[in-house]
Amino acid sequence: MILSIESSCDDSSIAITEIATRKLLYHKKISQETEHACYGGVVPELASRLHAVALPRILEETKPYFNQLKAVAVTNQPGLGVTLLEGIAMAKTLAVLLDIPLIPVHHLKGHIYSLFIEKETKLPLLILLISGGHTMVLRVENFEKMEILATSMDDSVGESFDKTAKMMGLGYPGGPIIEQLAQKGDENRFDLPVPLRNSKLIAFSLSGLKNAVRLAVESLGGAEKMSRQDKCDLAASFQKAVKLHLLQKSKKIFKAEPIKDFAIVGGASANLYIRSAYEKLCGEFGKTLHTVPLQYCSDNAAMIGRYAIDAYQRKQFIDPNEINIVSTKKQQAGMLL
């Protein structure tokens, strides 16, 4: 079995995955949403302290599996440096004490492998990864070759949802709140701009849309003076603009890429409004849509463990003394490998 650890942001998670069957045997995640909600976003130092408390508590429950562990896997990039450190420190300790190999896992590859936790999905795949820190389209041909075809120039989808919610005084995390309000709103009330609509550039950008939301909030007298319906309508209009932006750029990629299987992964892929839009788009282009079970969309150790199974079979191990924390976004450009 492989024990996997995820601590790249504000979710403390550990999983146990069986190597031979690829079956998830144990999985637990402790969210920090409540602790960060009053700040309107994740506070790195607070997140790190909370990981230091939560991870050992979860690990205690996995002790019955210790004598069957063949490796330990941990997210080491990208993410918040102070939170990655908590998971890596635990993984290094386990690797040394149990004398088992250590497997470093790229967080984005983990999201890709969330597709394979409960069922096998054939490759190659075109994948839209939308999360709190990333927005990109990838071509995944096999374990060794994953290429980024388009990425964000500024804010990610998840980040834009969080910031929009904060501007409207709605709390954190913003994604589920915006989606819920949008169900009761008029998506045509606010004429928000669709980013890069007239640009041939195949990339994503949401900073301008976010600014348009800010201006709309100010025009209504600020968040405190907005009615419930105002917030529902603005949430719906914002969500519609994000959807149209994603679809417009995805269409360009669909026209150029012959791959028939398309998937959506990442925390923001739990948005059913966006999923429904892509289901229709895939139908138009004759592609098959694959989605991740909702419980595995956000950061979790199960996806890290599933990737680690394939990495273990290829003996992609690292010396515990040589594992590095990579917290910047520079690895997003070009090839993931």
Side-chain angles (χ1 to χ4, degrees):
M1 302 174 186
I2 291 179
L3 183 146
S4 52
I5 305 169
E6 161 61 30
S7 66
S8 63
C9 192
D10 61 337
D11 288 312
S12 305
S13 185
I14 294 178
I16 301 288
T17 309
E18 189 172 44
I19 297 172
T21 64
R22 300 176 178 176
K23 182 180 180 181
L24 181 64
L25 302 179
Y26 171 90
H27 179 234
K28 187 169 184 177
K29 180 172 75 171
I30 296 179
S31 173
Q32 303 175 3
E33 291 177 357
T34 301
E35 290 84 354
H36 295 287
C38 60
Y39 302 105
V42 177
V43 181
E45 291 76 13
L46 173 60
S48 178
R49 293 196 295 271
L50 291 172
H51 281 306
V53 174
L55 286 174
R57 289 179 179 174
I58 304 175
L59 185 68
E60 187 71 24
E61 298 180 10
T62 68
K63 283 188 176 180
Y65 298 99
F66 274 21
N67 64 349
Q68 300 178 73
L69 294 181
K70 294 296 184 182
V72 57
V74 63
T75 304
N76 76 313
Q77 64 170 305
L80 301 175
V82 291
T83 62
L84 287 168
L85 180 62
E86 297 296 337
I88 289 175
M90 175 176 282
K92 289 172 64 174
T93 302
L94 289 171
V96 172
L97 290 179
L98 299 177
D99 192 25
I100 55 178
L102 177 60
I103 302 171
V105 180
H106 194 295
H107 182 71
L108 303 189
K109 292 181 180 179
H111 275 304
I112 293 169
Y113 268 71
S114 65
L115 288 162
F116 313 139
I117 295 173
E118 293 191 349
K119 66 176 184 178
E120 291 300 316
T121 303
K122 64 180 181 179
L123 297 175
L125 276 170
L126 287 177
I127 295 179
L128 172 68
L129 194 160
I130 45 177
S131 66
H134 311 279
T135 299
M136 59 180 66
V137 176
L138 308 103
R139 184 198 298 117
V140 179
E141 296 186 23
N142 52 54
F143 179 85
E144 303 291 344
K145 190 173 182 181
M146 305 178 185
E147 184 178 1
I148 298 174
L149 302 178
T151 188
S152 176
M153 299 166 61
D154 39 65
D155 292 357
S156 68
V157 169
E159 184 181 8
S160 68
F161 270 82
D162 287 340
K163 290 181 177 178
T164 292
K166 185 175 182 179
M167 285 187 283
M168 290 196 285
L170 299 176
Y172 172 87
I177 300 173
I178 292 292
E179 183 181 9
Q180 184 177 17
L181 287 179
Q183 293 175 2
K184 300 178 181 179
D186 177 4
E187 65 179 21
N188 297 314
R189 176 181 169 186
F190 294 91
D191 186 21
L192 299 178
V194 176
L196 303 177
R197 168 172 273 177
N198 299 316
S199 173
K200 294 182 180 180
L201 187 66
I202 302 179
F204 302 101
S205 173
L206 291 168
S207 61
L209 175 58
K210 181 185 65 178
N211 187 56
V213 171
R214 178 184 64 81
L215 294 175
V217 171
E218 291 178 355
S219 71
L220 294 169
E224 63 281 356
K225 292 187 178 181
M226 293 176 67
S227 68
R228 178 74 173 181
Q229 193 58 51
D230 287 337
K231 293 181 179 181
C232 289
D233 293 345
L234 186 53
S237 299
F238 165 76
Q239 186 175 245
K240 176 186 176 183
V242 172
K243 176 198 72 174
L244 292 176
H245 176 45
L246 292 174
L247 292 180
Q248 182 189 45
K249 298 307 176 182
S250 296
K251 284 180 181 179
K252 294 181 181 295
I253 294 175
F254 278 15
K255 290 177 181 178
E257 293 291 335
I259 296 174
K260 292 298 183 181
D261 289 276
F262 175 79
I264 312 176
V265 302
S269 73
N271 185 296
L272 299 182
Y273 176 82
I274 292 177
R275 285 194 182 199
S276 177
Y278 270 96
E279 187 172 2
K280 294 178 181 177
L281 183 67
C282 286
E284 293 176 15
F285 282 84
K287 296 187 184 296
T288 301
L289 177 64
H290 303 271
T291 56
V292 177
L294 295 180
Q295 66 266 35
Y296 302 127
C297 288
S298 58
D299 298 347
N300 64 85
M303 67 186 193
I304 303 303
R306 179 60 188 84
Y307 172 84
I309 295 295
D310 285 10
Y312 177 84
Q313 293 171 342
R314 290 169 172 77
K315 301 186 183 302
Q316 294 191 347
F317 309 137
I318 191 171
D319 187 308
N321 294 316
E322 296 180 358
I323 187 170
N324 294 314
I325 297 170
V326 184
S327 58
T328 65
K329 292 186 177 182
K330 62 183 179 181
Q331 282 75 20
Q332 295 180 23
M335 300 292 292
L336 276 179
L337 295 177

